[in-house]
Amino acid sequence: MLETQNLSLRYGRHLALNGINISIAEGETVVILGANGAGKSSLLKAIAGLQKPEPGSVLTLDGTTILGTKPHLIPEAGIALVPEGRGVFGDLTVEENLLLGANPRRARTSEAERHGLIYDLFPRLAERRSQLVRTMSGGEQQMVAIGRALMSNPRFLMLDEPSLGLAPIVVTELFGALKRVKQTGVGLLLVEQNVSISLSISDRGYLMEAGRITGENSAEALKTDPAVQQAFLGGAAA
Amino acid sequence: QDRTSVKIGYAISKTGANAGGAGITTLPNYQLWVHDVNEAGGLELPDGTRLPIEVVEYDDRSASEEVVRAVERLATQDQVDFILPPWGTGFNLAVAPLFDRFGYPQLAVSAVTDKAPEFVERWKKSFWLLGGGHDYTEALAQILNDQKAAGTINNDVAVISVADGFGIDLITAARQSFADGGLNIVYDVTYPVGTTDFTPMLNEAAASGADTFVAFSYPPDTFALTQQAQVAQYNPKVLYMGVGVGFPVYQANNGDKIEGIMSLGGIDPNNVAVMDYRARHTDFIGQAPDWWGSVVTYASLQMLQEAIRRQGLDREAVSQELSTGTFETVLGETKLEDNQLRTLWLGGQWQDGVFVAVAPADREGAVAPRLPKAPWPAQ
Amino acid sequence: MISTLITGLVLGGTYALVAMGLTLQYGISRIMNLAYGEILIFAAFAAFLLFSTFGINPILGLGIVLPAAFACGYLIYGVMMQPLVTRSKKTGTLEVDSILATFGLLFVIQGIMLVTFGSNYTSYNFLNTGINVLGANVAANRLLAFALAIIIGATLFFVLTRTRWGTTIRAIAVNPDAAPLVGIDVNRTARFAFALGTMLAASGGVMISMYQTFNASMGVVFTMKALVIVIMGGLGNLMGALIAGLLLGVVETLVATYVDPGLTLAATYCLFLVVLLWKPAGLFGKAAGR
Amino acid sequence: MTRTILGLMLAILGLAALAWMPTQLGAYGVGLLLGMTGYVALASAWALFSGPTRYVSLATVAFFGIGAYTVAVLSETLPYWAVLLVAAVIGLAVALIVGLATLRLAGVYFVIFTFGLAELIRQLVTWYEVNVTGTLGRYIFLPITAEQIYWQLLAVAAGTIAIGWLISRSRLGLALKVIGDDETVAGHTGINIAGVKLALFAVSATIITLVGAIQAPRWTYVEPAIVFNPTISFLTLIMALLGGANRLWGPALGAIPLFLLFEWLSANFPNHYSIILGLLFIAIVFVVPRGVLAGIEDGWARLKRRGEAA
Amino acid sequence: MTSLLDIQNLRKQFGGLTAVNDVSFSIAEGETVALLGPNGSGKTTVLNMISGALAPTSGVIALSGEHIAGLAPNRIAHKGVARTFQLVRILPSLSVAENVIAALAFRPNHLWGRAAEERAEELLAEVGLGGRGGEHANDLTYIDQKRMELARALAAEPRLLLLDEWLSGLNPTELRTGIDLITALGQRGMTVLLVEHIMEAVRALCSRTVVMNVGTKIADGPTADVLADPAVISAYLGEGHA
Ligand SMILES: Nc1ncnc2c1ncn2[C@@H]1O[C@H](COP(=O)(O)OP(=O)(O)OP(=O)(O)O)[C@@H](O)[C@H]1O
Ligand SMILES: Nc1ncnc2c1ncn2[C@@H]1O[C@H](COP(=O)(O)OP(=O)(O)OP(=O)(O)O)[C@@H](O)[C@H]1O
Ligand SMILES: [Mg+2]
Ligand SMILES: [Mg+2]
């Protein structure tokens, strides 16, 4: 169980997160919906240890606090992040990026197996094993970022807008793949603008607005919630 | 007058590219001299009183702009009584107009230049004590011709020179002197400052068949040449190198392998004053002086000291005295001709651990050169 | 011709040895270390002192100097560089800051050396015996430096490109922000790389002290030579540094033998400039990018 | 508008005061002013190009040396003003060639390229002198006093800062900032990157050449090791960076205190100069992270805020 | 309708990889055309060649009949091509207004001083950043940076506007505003070539669509037809989207 209580984050004077309470159980998929600038990415970064929350915040994994853990130890604890803007190692090859993904000790045992899994998920990566990631297309880089995160054998995988810039067919495949990942018992925390498809694989969802959680419900309920319809699915979905 | 000391100032390269040279030939002698004088109660003035020396020293950081400004500072800000010259030909020239303008005598030691007569014309209070390139190369040509006549060596000479003021001055002079002496330069190249690998040049010199190898080199080059010539088993019958052969570290590093190596300078081993000076220097500084410029530097200071004793602190009078007077120094009786020191040892050779003077051969105290130089000991 | 080539390669070995540490420090820890040459000279003095005072020969001396250098590098990074690196996350001024700070460090180390060792030229003789390699007489000490360069170069290259650990080191060079995401402790790794670079600098210093005259003011010469080689080879690329170093050595020797020794340095700089004009990111560099 | 005029008048007044100063000072004072002004000019000229584009150049001494050497070669044959002109033209020509060649380089590759270039020029001049003219040192016996050199340098420094001011208000200034931020964007917004860089590099290099030419008569004796001393490049760079290369007065505000610091330290601590200087340097980097001028501005802003709050 | 952009047999090779392989298409004056294709099919590379960021290996790019292939980006910009970038590129040390002025000041009939400031403000208002010209570009949110980038592109008064996934990352509400903005541009007669993965936007904006796969063109025609093309479905859209 990954859980935050009263999690707040400040950039200078700007309070980007204001008392966030969320939780994800093992094997559960949770989506966070919110407008641009609502603080979704900030939340993921805070959990990944990349930003330091305000005093009084609580962040626990299976009941033990992981707040203040150095960011490089977070993957070791089983939490992986696919960040906004991908964060790949541009001057390294695909293969090397994946190798690095398995850098945390917990990932070493199942490394070879995962390699295969990822190449199955993204055959394009298998074709381009030794290409420098910097020279790949935007979508290809996104695949590398997700593949790398999966290499770390995470218990919880956080994805920040994974479908950004991906071709529709890849998005479909990706979410198919995420479904499979989910079935292996990994908890997914998803931030997506592509609301309909993300709700389709999620169990629950949170609504976020200006740094606060303003709603929480099952995915089924959210799909039909008029407020969500209005704000995120809009007439455009029709 | 309520004067309590004589202020003597100098700017010297304590850091930067020139520090290595200044730290051997110039600075230790300034320090030793000040120590000696103050030990004896100070500088003696014509009225017999003695005033201690107060030193004002600056680091010119091996930059000409700095040395120029430091001398200005000494003259106008600190208003020292006398200024000792910096190290190096270029720097001595850079400050010469200032010494002249502010009326200070300039006893330039670490400057080798054939233009000294011209400079004396231009700057009446400048003194040039280490001779010009021609002096040294003519002396060398003389030695080589003697050896050639004795059948020790052939007519061919291989010369390399460092592309810096010193090297160029000497190689230019050498071309002339050697040609005049009927010697044939078969290999003649100039290498840039900072060269560390001389193997190609040594190989070419060896291949040229010359019995004489001359390098107008700077200390790091001289050290490297010595090592690399051994590695290459290059054994010219005459091995003559530039600055550095007389440095204490040279002897320390190479032990008896230096036997027979020749260079500029040298001393008369029977001159007690020099040997005594060397002992005091070693004692006080913690290292021996070099065998060429050091003793001249010290002598120049003694001249200054004596001139002050005779004429007081009037710089005009002191300069006049330096120009015309005769002085007793560690070099023996010393008198300048046309503001230049002409009684110099122009060539020396390591013999039994002492760098003895071999040229000019007709000067009293000169030792006969031992040539050909023995090959490097087998490795 | 063969012997000229060999002489050149051996000379190049020295250059490569000197450059490899810098490529680690700059390429990986992103510290443009202007005090690099001073550290090298310091090690040279240390080797000299061990040899002349305690009679420890420089090769054994490596056993003392290298760990000490590693520790120094570790310390320097921790005390001086780490705060700058942390700060630069906000300001993005690491390059300028590291230039200015290491420029200060240069003076400090140089000053300490001047005070302790004086400004005199220092040199000693060790292993200065000729060894015949395919007809060329090569000094044993230089040959040793060459061998060391090749061994260090090859080992490090292998480690950096073929092992996970090496890949983590390169990863922090490529994208330090993303490194924590894969469990890399950026500070520790950068610090380690910097210390390793310092150690390589020291090994270069010890080797050079065996056959080259040095003094306290000479560090800059080595820093600049190393920078030229590092840049020519391609930033952060060990193989590049090795090959560029060897290349410069060979070119220098060829020019000295067949053209004019007066043009050796001109030739090396010329080669350097031409290489950059032809490949703006060095021989093995990835395409230009700032 | 009135502020501009006021500023202009203040600048002229200041300049007049500076020009008058030598009459009140001894030779050493003039020497100090001269050296300082020389570095103000060098650092400001350096920052003209390197500040906004972030192309850190170590070729300063190449141009400085070219200027000085031109004077050394021509001082006997041409009138002084013509020598300066020739020096400037040579500097400009070399800058254009170099500029064209280096346009593809970026970042540290450019830095070290320019360093290599300076060394190459020095080697070639040396080689030429040794092999062709057969001398190495040259003498400059020009009847120019330190005061005169100072005035010329003052004019150059003032001119440089004026050029910097004009550029910063012009489209060229904006173009430079854009290039410094992102060259790709610069190209796509229609900026002729090569042209802008080349123009600025040429202006900056020509000024540096002039500074070298003007300062040369101070040394009497000139040789490549003296006038192509890489320390000059490093000092210029450090001064500009320390003051803040991106601001009009930054380089000057870096050059003046640093120069005086050097002088004070070397006079008072000749033996521990290096250590103290180094430690000070490190301290400065830690205390004023973004350059002296930015530091002053920050402090000023804080004061003002406090004043407003009170 | 005359064609504004003509591309013939365009080709780009990166070492052994042919990223764009003999692509030809043209765009008429005033048209809004979509360029679609799977990730890595070469769309951005095509935009890069049109705007001059990359030189083609071979082929012809003509703007109103004038050949522009291989020209420097600034020359092409002056001929009336402006673009945005797949990953936004802002000028971080400049203010928002200056980011836009940068384009105004270097277009052929350039604006400077007062005039430029006023025009920049207008353009910023047009993209929804009215009154925010004084802020630091760095402080804008991602979406606002994208807006600013569009204003900068518009400032050049382009004849041809290239948008590389300009709408990606927007939530549905924002997407609608974005679509409206581009529609308005089209109605003013601007020619737009856009690369997008959001089919809604493509359907709403583009009368015509070109599809690439592995560097080659596989479809070109009215959007509705192209999106129903089995080849496009299997290569790009996937069955679910049909
Ligand atoms: N490093 C930072 N410094 C200052 N402010 C920041 C920083 N990162 C984010 N912010 C601000 O915090 C707020 C929340 O940003 P965040 O990136 O978390 O939003 P988001 O919901 O992920 O939006 P988007 O959908 O655009 O990615 C925004 O107003 C943003 O401007
Ligand atoms: N500089 C480069 N060097 C080598 N390969 C490159 C380079 N730039 C692009 N490529 C390759 O060319 C192909 C086309 O890339 P491009 O960026 O044009 O794709 P795209 O169609 O824009 O994809 P996406 O929708 O993912 O952005 C990709 O396979 C990419 O890896
Ligand atoms: Mg976000
Ligand atoms: Mg793309």
Side-chain angles (χ1 to χ4, degrees), chain D residues 146-172:
Chain D
E147 282 82 358
Q148 289 165 333
I149 296 179
Y150 166 66
W151 285 321
Q152 292 178 56
L153 286 176
L154 189 64
V156 172
T160 309
I161 292 175
I163 291 176
W165 183 72
L166 287 175
I167 288 178
S168 74
R169 293 164 48 98
S170 71
R171 288 164 66 221
L172 187 58

Side-chain angles (χ1 to χ4, degrees), chain A residues 40-41 84 160-161 191:
Chain A
K40 308 177 298 289
S41 302
E84 216 173 9
D160 199 346
E161 310 204 13
V191 165

